[in-house]
Amino acid sequence: MSEQRFGEFVAVRREGDGHVAELAMDRPKAMNAVSTEMARSLGAACAALAADPSVRVVVLSSTAERAFCVGADLKERNSLSDAELVRQRPTTRGAYGGVLELPVPTIAAVHGFALGGGFELALACDVIVADESAVVGLPEVSVGVIPGGGGTQLLPRRVGAARAAELIFTARRVEAAEALSLGLVDSLVPAGQDRAEALALAARMAANSPVGLRAAKRALRLGHGMDLAAGLEIEDAAWRTVAFSGDRAEGVAAFNEKRKPNWPGE
């Protein structure tokens, strides 16, 4: 396994062919509370992953035993002046936006607490795998703020406007079984198996065309919320980027020759 550190609290790990990259939040003593430094590191790691054409899938994980991420570092937040908080905002937005804007499929591996900004990081991913210990929620209004890492926009896109409103306005925490039933997470696995299942799912995705994966994600993201006609135009534009690619030629040839594709990635 290779590992690249981004500051003290973030690591990118890769095994084998390196097509699956694990973006690990590594601040276990603070249950991955997102400080300014950690936010800066997450943004930098995402920029590096986005620029790496060999990456096909990213898994967002946690090294903390009891939590995926408990959200903003409120101890640090309490020490900031209003002016300092304003200056911090682009850095925190860069962390959440960095995950959201990754051009490849992303999977969150969630266990324990995923609250506030922690759950927003998971919501920024395409798929959320959670284990039975998971507790998720957006409790920001209980401390006098609102979800500011994308939660007010991403949650209703997952579960609908009314359900998102109830969850955000009550600030309640949702345990794993209910989270699955409400669509807050996409699959539920035994305790301790979230990372392994997310990596296995990532490997299945990464076996497919890297050109196809990126184009499919682009069409899914850009088309969401559009009317059908506009969405189909977005899909057509994405199709044109793959229809004449080396991956398409290799995929068709491999199918006809009954062999595993050797994707050129272009």
Side-chain angles (χ1 to χ4, degrees), residues 120-225:
E120 288 174 304
L121 287 168
L123 290 171
C125 295
D126 298 302
V127 178
I128 302 174
V129 174
D131 83 358
E132 293 170 338
S133 72
V135 178
V136 306
L138 297 176
E140 283 89 344
V141 298
S142 69
V143 293
V145 291
I146 70 166
T152 65
Q153 305 306 304
L154 295 170
L155 187 59
R157 283 168 167 78
R158 262 191 168 267
V159 300
R163 179 66 69 192
E166 182 262 319
L167 292 165
I168 291 170
F169 296 159
T170 61
R172 73 184 180 93
R173 300 179 178 191
V174 182
E175 295 188 358
E178 185 184 5
L180 180 64
S181 71
L182 295 179
L184 299 175
V185 304
D186 300 304
S187 62
L188 195 58
V189 298
Q193 294 301 307
D194 54 295
R195 177 177 176 270
E197 179 58 32
L199 288 170
L201 177 59
R204 293 197 293 275
M205 292 179 181
N208 296 309
S209 158
V211 171
L213 288 171
R214 288 173 181 251
K217 175 158 181 173
R218 188 164 62 250
L220 283 163
R221 285 290 178 91
L222 293 178
H224 191 95

Side-chain angles (χ1 to χ4, degrees), residues 59-89:
V59 172
L60 180 61
S61 68
S62 162
T63 66
E65 183 177 347
R66 296 180 52 221
F68 175 72
C69 173
V70 293
D73 186 337
L74 295 183
K75 290 183 179 179
E76 180 192 61
R77 183 75 56 85
N78 192 50
S79 71
L80 298 179
S81 67
D82 289 351
E84 288 170 331
L85 185 58
V86 169
R87 287 195 295 270
Q88 183 204 47
R89 179 63 174 161

